[in-house]
Amino acid sequence: MPVIELLVDDPLPRWQADCARRLAAAGAGVRLRDGTGQGGRSWRAVAGRVCQLKPTAAEPEASTDTAPADVVIDLAGRGEGSDRRWRLLCGDGRPLAAPFPFADQWCRPGGLATVLLVDEAGRVLRSAHLSVQGRFYTRLVDDTLKFAALLPALAWRDRLNGIAPSGLPGPGTRRGGGSPWALIGGARRYARQRVVDALSPVLWRIGLVLQPIHAFLDPTHRPRIDWLTRIEAAAYCADPIAHPCHPGEIWWERYDYLTHHGVLQRARLGSAVPAETVDLGVSCHMSFPGMVKLDGQTLLIPEMSESGTTRLFSLDREGHWECLAILPVPGVDPVLFRWEDRLWLGLTRADLDKRSNFCLWYATSPSGPWTEHEANPVKIDVRSARSAGPLFRHDGTLYRPAQDCTLSYGKRVVINRVIDCTPTRFREEVAAVVGPQPDWSTPHGLHTLAACGEHTLIDAKLTVVSTAGLAAKLGRRVGRPTRPPASSHRSPVHPR
């Protein structure tokens, strides 16, 4: 059995213990070598509020093998030289274990917390990119360490599967940590943003772009839009998806700030008939009605992460939705697609992070069994992980729309070009970036691109101070009882 030596802090923090357990599960014998924790009194006061830095209650079983280690992974940030040394670094080159990681990034709007696992040659083996937006500093460190604990095991599996490093050079190692004084400016920015968010509910609007979805691959493209829904004070319509078998029929999520509940609705373009609420027999918040037609079947996989599961439905001959498979995973914005001889299910795991990860499962048929990808999460990047609509093909290439939530949730869409997808590997690259236009009535964000025949469905957001929306938020905080969602709503679905 190969041996991996981990340089860890003493006492052993939770994230390093989790890293050791994951490496053992990946087929390695893990040997721990204790070190000394870093930082002075000020850092220890902050670190004491970070769950992942607290000593573990149950240390993982360590290998007794005395053979030379195949790889030494420095989790403690010692910086000692070694021919087989992997290191976890912040994006600026400082050791992740150094005091006050990401303090400088946290104080800047749009900052990015980047963790890089680099090998002895300085090449990046694995990476994670999280937004600082909306996270208090201790929460940011907590979330970042949680993802950092995943990277060594993922890189080790890559090595066992013969997957070479990306070849991208990592930053040069720098000593010391971030500036603790930056936390003062960061705290001011965080408090100011929380006040703005509390006063400004987000309102989404659905539009029909009069060009095909592949037109967005052209960076000079300027969409012509017919807006299908109006802006409301305390509710919105978002996540539009076209029915793959019924031209002109679209589905979407309608969210009501008064009930804090989302339902799926459907209607036909140009119809005067009120939108119909879809009943799938599951009582929970629903959104993102992902639909595809594969192998003659109409498949639906909506987001219902609130239920703790991801469910795949099929439309039977009588027009009823039948549940084919259930994954015990809280999936956010799930998508289905076919790559070569397999059916793939991609989603963001809400129990990891709702914006920064993308995970895969595969099967030979929709009813399963579904097998988890060996390298999950296959992507940890807030800039292009969470889905933004169904995948589409153009000129023989598969593209995956994803959200860029660096600055805020649903800020813009990144179209990824899928290059490789196997049970051990997933690789994609950015093909285009699509953002809202300043002359739109909803110019503050975009988070869905979905093909609709020769047209494209989008949604765009407006962030304004709304008295009704603010009242709804305050009602939730003081425990106002919620009312059940209405069975239908007269949402206009005709171009205007």
Side-chain angles (χ1 to χ4, degrees):
M1 175 184 290
V3 176
I4 296 179
E5 185 172 86
L6 294 184
L7 305 184
V8 297
D9 290 323
D10 183 20
L12 183 67
R14 294 181 183 181
W15 77 275
Q16 294 179 4
D18 184 36
C19 180
R21 283 189 287 266
R22 292 179 180 277
L23 283 166
V30 180
R31 189 166 62 214
L32 305 180
R33 195 204 309 174
D34 291 339
T36 302
Q38 300 186 51
R41 180 181 303 175
S42 58
W43 170 237
R44 289 196 297 271
V46 173
R49 298 180 178 274
V50 178
C51 291
Q52 293 295 326
L53 289 175
K54 293 180 179 179
T56 181
E59 294 192 9
E61 183 177 348
S63 172
T64 58
D65 195 331
T66 58
D70 294 87
V71 171
V72 177
I73 304 179
D74 187 356
L75 302 183
R78 295 183 183 179
E80 300 171 0
S82 173
D83 294 335
R84 298 181 302 279
R85 176 71 55 89
W86 293 358
R87 295 165 295 154
L88 278 171
L89 304 177
C90 300
D92 59 5
R94 295 185 177 95
L96 177 62
F100 299 102
F102 311 115
D104 299 332
Q105 289 75 21
W106 187 63
C107 69
R108 297 196 298 268
L112 202 64
T114 295
V115 180
L116 303 173
L117 178 65
V118 300
D119 65 8
E120 63 278 2
R123 299 171 297 181
V124 175
L125 301 175
R126 283 279 177 164
S127 61
H129 308 272
L130 279 70
S131 173
V132 306
Q133 197 74 17
R135 289 182 171 96
F136 193 64
Y137 179 69
T138 51
R139 171 70 182 277
L140 173 66
V141 176
D142 213 38
D143 290 347
T144 306
L145 293 176
K146 181 172 63 175
F147 279 110
L150 306 177
L151 301 184
L154 293 174
W156 181 251
R157 289 185 185 274
D158 287 346
R159 176 168 169 165
L160 295 179
N161 291 320
I163 299 174
S166 65
L168 296 175
T173 306
R174 295 172 57 189
R175 300 310 303 165
S179 169
W181 300 108
L183 299 184
I184 299 175
R188 291 173 179 169
R189 181 198 61 78
Y190 176 82
R192 184 168 55 250
Q193 188 61 49
R194 288 299 299 268
V195 171
V196 171
D197 291 343
L199 295 174
S200 307
V202 176
L203 304 174
W204 293 88
R205 192 183 192 191
I206 295 173
L208 182 70
V209 178
L210 306 180
Q211 293 93 27
I213 193 168
H214 60 77
F216 287 93
L217 296 172
D218 180 359
T220 64
H221 175 246
R222 292 294 178 267
R224 302 191 306 274
I225 304 173
D226 285 333
W227 296 105
L228 304 181
T229 59
R230 62 179 179 268
I231 300 173
E232 301 179 55
Y236 62 74
C237 296
D239 297 346
I241 304 290
H243 196 294
C245 303
H246 301 160
E249 180 177 318
I250 64 172
W251 291 41
W252 66 88
E253 171 209 1
R254 176 176 171 78
Y255 183 84
D256 191 330
Y257 274 115
L258 298 177
T259 63
H260 309 293
H261 189 84
V263 297
L264 300 185
Q265 293 189 328
R266 64 183 178 187
R268 296 191 64 82
L269 289 170
S271 173
V273 178
E276 175 189 359
T277 298
V278 181
D279 183 9
L280 296 177
V282 181
S283 179
C284 70
H285 169 85
M286 290 192 188
S287 61
F288 199 81
M291 276 188 293
V292 294
K293 184 177 182 180
L294 290 172
D295 302 332
Q297 287 183 287
T298 302
L299 303 175
L300 169 66
I301 183 166
E303 178 191 325
M304 50 179 65
S305 59
E306 184 182 280
S307 71
T309 63
T310 301
R311 305 190 185 197
L312 175 60
F313 298 85
S314 174
L315 190 64
D316 63 21
R317 294 182 178 180
E318 286 73 35
H320 301 128
W321 291 101
E322 173 190 8
C323 184
L324 292 182
I326 301 178
L327 269 68
V329 174
V332 175
D333 294 353
V335 291
L336 289 166
F337 63 97
R338 181 169 292 282
W339 180 273
E340 296 180 346
D341 59 343
R342 292 184 177 91
L343 182 63
W344 293 88
L345 187 162
L347 54 83
T348 293
R349 288 193 62 148
D351 53 349
L352 288 178
D353 179 272
K354 289 187 176 181
R355 302 180 186 180
S356 303
N357 73 90
F358 186 63
C359 301
L360 287 172
W361 281 257
Y362 60 90
T364 56
S365 70
S367 58
W370 288 89
T371 303
E372 185 174 4
H373 196 286
E374 191 170 314
N376 270 347
V378 296
K379 191 170 197 176
I380 308 171
D381 194 339
V382 70
R383 299 170 297 180
S384 58
R386 178 170 169 169
S387 297
L391 285 78
F392 67 93
R393 291 186 181 273
H394 178 62
D395 289 342
T397 300
L398 185 65
Y399 294 92
R400 187 180 74 87
Q403 298 184 41
D404 181 354
C405 299
T406 306
L407 295 175
S408 67
Y409 169 66
K411 186 63 176 179
R412 60 181 185 175
V413 172
V414 171
I415 303 178
N416 295 302
R417 182 186 297 110
V418 180
I419 298 173
D420 197 8
C421 186
T422 72
T424 60
R425 182 183 180 91
F426 178 77
R427 190 160 61 97
E428 62 183 9
E429 62 184 14
V430 174
V433 178
V434 184
Q437 299 299 315
D439 59 345
W440 291 1
S441 59
T442 46
H444 298 150
L446 175 76
H447 84 343
T448 303
L449 289 180
C452 182
E454 291 302 309
H455 297 156
T456 307
L457 290 166
I458 68 169
D459 57 13
K461 74 176 179 180
L462 176 68
T463 304
V464 295
V465 174
S466 166
T467 55
L470 177 58
K473 286 189 174 184
L474 292 175
R476 176 174 57 180
R477 294 186 184 278
V478 299
R480 175 189 295 175
T482 60
R483 56 181 172 83
S487 59
S488 65
H489 181 81
R490 289 185 175 272
S491 298
V493 289
H494 54 273
R496 60 195 184 109

